[in-house]
Amino acid sequence: MAGVAAAPAMDLVRAGLFSRLARTQYAALAGMRWSMFRHGMRTTKGAVETVARVVILLVYSCIGFGLAAGFGIGAYEATAHGHWELMPLFLWVLFLMWQLVPVSLASFQQQFDLGGLLRFPVSFGAFYLLHLIFGLVDVSTIMGSFCCLGVLIGVTLAQPAVFGWAAVSLASFAAFNILLVRAIFAWIDRWLAQRRTREIVTAVFLLSMLAMNFLNPAFREVKYRNPNNPEARAARENREAKYGPWIKLAIRVQAWLPPGLAARGLRSGADAHPGDATESLALLAIYVVAVGGVLGFRLGGEYRGENLGDAPAPKKVEKRSTQWLLDGSGPIAAVMEKDLRTILRALPLLYGLGAPLIMVFLFSGIYRNRGATSVTHLPLGLLLCLAYAMVGFTQLLYNNLGTEGAGIQLLFLSPTPIRTVLLAKNLFHALLFAVDAVLVCVISSLRYGAVDTVALAATVSWLVFALPVHLAAGNAFSIVMPYRVNMGRISRQRGSQANALLSLAVQLGVLGVGGAVLAACAYSDRLWLAVPIFLVLAMGAALAWLRLLPRFEAMAYARRDDLIATLVKAE
């Protein structure tokens, strides 16, 4: 890179996306990444990280293929039978998934921060292009691209003549989503760098989490299972009269938004209306250019040197409270309060905890209101919702030292034993997940209807077993595979792929044990038997967790230099 840095300034100004200087820079960056990969494979940690990265990529690809098959079958059926009114629904679901998945799985992916390239004479066009190229390996892009490909295959198999219009429409739709994800993360990272905007974004996010409970009419219990029942018809007519105008307005509005425009382009191409199809694609292209401009505006500020996360902005002297909320309660309470204050000031962690709740709200509708058979489906449905909510705690449980940063040095200098610090963190995270679990149960019960007492007891017993397992595994991973958490960013976190893969494996294993026990007990019509089984497993897990704390302390002191080097290292 030294030779590139010596390029004349005038050449930099005139350099284009594929100029000689830009091509040299691309080659230098590719060579640097290859050298990092090659040298990293010489160490055990680097080899494990590489294998984990490949496995995670394969897992995401398999999930993407499964989703693509579902979207492809739906698109084929809608196209073959002329139900084009369903196509906007498919694309809106894909759009929401494309935007929510990056936040939900932020702790499972590693991203490359391109800010370091600004030390070299990189043109803005090259910087913008590299930002998009590195964004193509995001989880949302992998899954979304497979889903768009599935829709394209389904539509083409049903009507081969529509292939051209479908390819252009879905490619434009995919480009819009890729740019929108990058723009959202870029602007959120910008807002998180300022205290006032950080507080506003936090308030909006929390209010949105509360408001979603009132936006879905599915909360109400379905009382009439027979659609021909007079009372059911009257209730349906009443709902249509009340919500019909709003639904029609929403349908008209969505037709002018990107998912609706892409669906309209598909339908117009299938109906041999090239004028309407061209108009829809032109409007969709305007959206793509607009989102690209919004992203370019933010990257332009970063390119000019604006990076508010590096240094604190001047601010007024504030009066700080000298009182602790848990004053006089010892080091455990002190560590718990410190972590609480850290989480409240770290919006990325709040997003990670809150985003799975939105998905739980959506997924729980699969099992709701099934009449007499709802009790059979409720345990597994509630178990899946709680397991998905656990995804938001991955960064806290399996990297519980990552938020310490440079403060990790104080933990080793403090007379408080490391096992006490880990115990305090574990207790705080367990209490925090208990609050989250209560919210999940409330949301799920509102979606399901009445909650069976035995099913709830079995699920709670599984949680009592699952938490010690996650806490013990999280302590080990936090010491062996730590990574620093950037408190001011949602994107561009430098995580550990081995940590992400193994934590996912532990979560799937615990979920598999819970699902197997619940399914076996429910099949034998002895669901109550799951409660003592889980309690026995919980006793063993809790005993193992407590007995392992001294060993984790010894591991922390043995790996003290690596921990400090990893967590103190500036990004």
Side-chain angles (χ1 to χ4, degrees), residues 550-569:
R551 296 192 179 184
F552 293 146
E553 181 181 35
M555 290 172 56
Y557 281 111
R559 301 179 60 86
R560 176 172 51 192
D561 294 338
D562 291 338
L563 280 170
I564 294 176
T566 301
L567 300 181
V568 178
K569 181 173 58 178

Side-chain angles (χ1 to χ4, degrees), residues 298-316:
R298 173 80 286 275
L299 293 181
E302 186 175 346
Y303 180 77
R304 292 189 297 270
E306 178 184 300
N307 192 352
L308 302 182
D310 288 343
K315 59 181 180 180
K316 299 180 180 179

Side-chain angles (χ1 to χ4, degrees), residues 3-322:
V4 179
M10 187 60 65
D11 292 341
L12 172 63
V13 175
R14 296 176 180 176
L17 282 176
F18 302 103
S19 63
R20 180 180 179 182
L21 175 61
R23 294 195 305 270
T24 305
Q25 292 168 343
Y26 300 154
L29 182 59
M32 180 190 68
R33 296 290 291 176
W34 171 249
S35 298
M36 292 172 60
F37 169 78
R38 184 161 45 87
H39 292 301
M41 289 293 292
R42 297 177 179 177
T43 63
T44 303
K45 182 179 179 180
V48 172
E49 289 287 338
T50 301
V51 173
R53 188 175 295 111
V54 172
V55 173
I56 288 178
L57 181 61
L58 292 176
V59 170
Y60 289 149
S61 300
C62 292
I63 296 175
F65 278 123
L67 293 173
F71 277 98
I73 294 173
Y76 175 82
E77 293 293 332
T79 305
H81 297 88
H83 297 305
W84 288 101
E85 66 277 2
L86 297 178
M87 195 61 67
L89 178 62
F90 296 152
L91 296 184
W92 272 105
V93 171
L94 177 56
F95 168 78
L96 293 176
M97 183 194 71
W98 209 316
Q99 307 306 317
L100 289 177
V101 164
V103 179
S104 301
L105 299 180
S107 58
F108 287 100
Q109 52 184 331
Q110 182 182 23
Q111 297 175 343
F112 181 69
D113 188 3
L114 294 171
L117 296 180
L118 297 179
R119 302 186 182 96
F120 305 97
V122 180
S123 66
F124 176 71
F127 179 68
Y128 189 98
L129 179 62
L130 289 173
H131 189 84
L132 293 181
I133 291 176
F134 277 92
L136 295 178
V137 296
D138 282 351
V139 180
S140 60
T141 304
I142 295 174
M143 294 184 179
S145 300
F146 283 148
C147 291
C148 286
L149 182 61
V151 174
L152 176 62
I153 293 175
V155 172
T156 303
L157 291 177
Q159 293 190 19
V162 193
F163 172 77
W165 293 109
V168 176
S169 299
L170 293 172
S172 303
F173 180 66
F176 169 79
N177 281 281
I178 292 173
L179 291 172
L180 183 61
V181 169
R182 307 301 292 177
I184 289 176
F185 275 135
W187 278 101
I188 287 180
D189 289 341
R190 167 65 172 79
W191 293 331
L192 292 180
Q194 291 180 300
R195 178 177 179 180
R196 179 171 299 179
T197 53
R198 180 167 61 244
E199 293 173 348
I200 294 174
V201 172
T202 304
V204 171
F205 174 72
L206 295 178
L207 289 176
S208 301
M209 291 295 301
L210 294 175
M212 75 176 185
N213 296 326
F214 306 98
L215 296 179
N216 195 346
F219 272 142
R220 295 192 302 273
E221 194 173 330
V222 179
K223 299 181 180 179
Y224 312 108
R225 313 306 296 181
N226 184 6
N228 296 323
N229 189 302
E231 295 180 352
R233 287 199 301 269
R236 184 169 59 252
E237 292 173 358
N238 185 28
R239 288 196 300 270
E240 291 176 355
K242 185 177 182 180
Y243 300 109
W246 293 100
I247 294 176
K248 293 179 181 178
L249 177 62
I251 293 175
R252 288 197 298 269
V253 171
Q254 70 85 27
W256 297 96
L257 296 176
L261 290 172
R264 195 170 69 178
L266 288 172
R267 182 170 187 173
S268 299
D271 294 340
H273 296 155
D276 294 340
T278 303
E279 178 186 358
S280 300
L281 293 180
L283 293 175
L284 183 57
I286 292 175
Y287 275 105
V288 174
V289 173
V291 174
V294 172
L295 175 60
F297 184 76
R298 173 80 286 275
L299 293 181
E302 186 175 346
Y303 180 77
R304 292 189 297 270
E306 178 184 300
N307 192 352
L308 302 182
D310 288 343
K315 59 181 180 180
K316 299 180 180 179
V317 178
E318 300 177 357
K319 294 183 179 180
R320 298 182 179 273
S321 175
T322 58

Side-chain angles (χ1 to χ4, degrees), residues 507-549:
Q507 294 185 47
L508 291 177
V510 174
L511 176 61
V513 171
V517 172
L518 285 177
C521 294
Y523 180 78
S524 60
D525 201 18
R526 291 182 176 87
L527 187 59
W528 59 268
L529 190 59
V531 177
I533 294 176
F534 283 136
L535 290 180
V536 171
L537 293 175
M539 292 177 60
L543 181 61
W545 162 56
L546 294 175
R547 293 290 299 271
L548 286 173
L549 283 176

Side-chain angles (χ1 to χ4, degrees), residues 207-561:
L207 289 176
S208 301
M209 291 295 301
L210 294 175
M212 75 176 185
N213 296 326
F214 306 98
L215 296 179
N216 195 346
F219 272 142
R220 295 192 302 273
E221 194 173 330
V222 179
K223 299 181 180 179
Y224 312 108
R225 313 306 296 181
N226 184 6
N228 296 323
N229 189 302
E231 295 180 352
R233 287 199 301 269
R236 184 169 59 252
E237 292 173 358
N238 185 28
R239 288 196 300 270
E240 291 176 355
K242 185 177 182 180
Y243 300 109
W246 293 100
I247 294 176
K248 293 179 181 178
L249 177 62
I251 293 175
R252 288 197 298 269
V253 171
Q254 70 85 27
W256 297 96
L257 296 176
L261 290 172
R264 195 170 69 178
L266 288 172
R267 182 170 187 173
S268 299
D271 294 340
H273 296 155
D276 294 340
T278 303
E279 178 186 358
S280 300
L281 293 180
L283 293 175
L284 183 57
I286 292 175
Y287 275 105
V288 174
V289 173
V291 174
V294 172
L295 175 60
F297 184 76
R298 173 80 286 275
L299 293 181
E302 186 175 346
Y303 180 77
R304 292 189 297 270
E306 178 184 300
N307 192 352
L308 302 182
D310 288 343
K315 59 181 180 180
K316 299 180 180 179
V317 178
E318 300 177 357
K319 294 183 179 180
R320 298 182 179 273
S321 175
T322 58
Q323 294 182 349
W324 289 77
L325 297 177
L326 303 175
D327 190 20
S329 301
I332 292 181
V335 174
M336 293 175 67
E337 181 170 349
K338 180 194 69 71
D339 279 8
L340 175 61
R341 294 175 183 267
T342 300
I343 290 179
L344 292 178
R345 295 174 181 176
L347 191 57
L349 296 179
L350 291 178
Y351 271 106
L353 298 178
L357 290 179
I358 300 178
M359 303 303 293
V360 165
F361 174 79
L362 298 175
F363 290 161
S364 59
I366 299 175
Y367 298 94
R368 70 177 179 88
N369 300 323
R370 299 200 178 189
T373 63
S374 62
V375 175
T376 303
H377 298 276
L378 176 59
L380 291 178
L382 189 58
L383 181 71
L384 291 175
C385 291
L386 289 170
Y388 194 84
M390 182 70 74
V391 173
F393 284 79
T394 301
Q395 204 169 31
L396 287 176
L397 297 179
Y398 289 87
N399 187 39
N400 53 35
L401 298 175
T403 57
E404 298 295 335
I408 188 67
Q409 302 172 89
L410 299 178
L411 294 182
F412 286 110
L413 293 174
S414 171
T416 303
I418 294 296
R419 63 176 179 271
T420 304
V421 175
L422 293 177
L423 177 62
K425 287 178 174 290
N426 291 164
L427 293 177
F428 172 70
H429 294 156
L431 290 175
L432 189 61
F433 182 74
V435 175
D436 201 66
V438 170
L439 293 177
V440 170
C441 291
V442 170
I443 294 174
S444 301
S445 63
L446 290 174
R447 298 279 278 173
Y448 296 138
V451 179
D452 182 71
T453 306
V454 178
L456 182 60
T459 306
V460 172
S461 302
W462 172 80
L463 277 182
V464 176
F465 153 69
L467 267 178
V469 176
H470 288 305
L471 294 176
N475 288 335
F477 292 177
S478 300
I479 296 172
V480 178
M481 294 170 286
Y483 57 92
R484 182 174 180 175
V485 176
N486 192 321
M487 309 300 287
R489 287 177 178 173
I490 290 181
S491 63
R492 290 179 282 183
Q493 296 281 357
R494 296 185 177 181
S496 169
Q497 296 299 289
N499 186 311
L501 177 63
L502 294 178
S503 63
L504 179 62
V506 173
Q507 294 185 47
L508 291 177
V510 174
L511 176 61
V513 171
V517 172
L518 285 177
C521 294
Y523 180 78
S524 60
D525 201 18
R526 291 182 176 87
L527 187 59
W528 59 268
L529 190 59
V531 177
I533 294 176
F534 283 136
L535 290 180
V536 171
L537 293 175
M539 292 177 60
L543 181 61
W545 162 56
L546 294 175
R547 293 290 299 271
L548 286 173
L549 283 176
R551 296 192 179 184
F552 293 146
E553 181 181 35
M555 290 172 56
Y557 281 111
R559 301 179 60 86
R560 176 172 51 192
D561 294 338

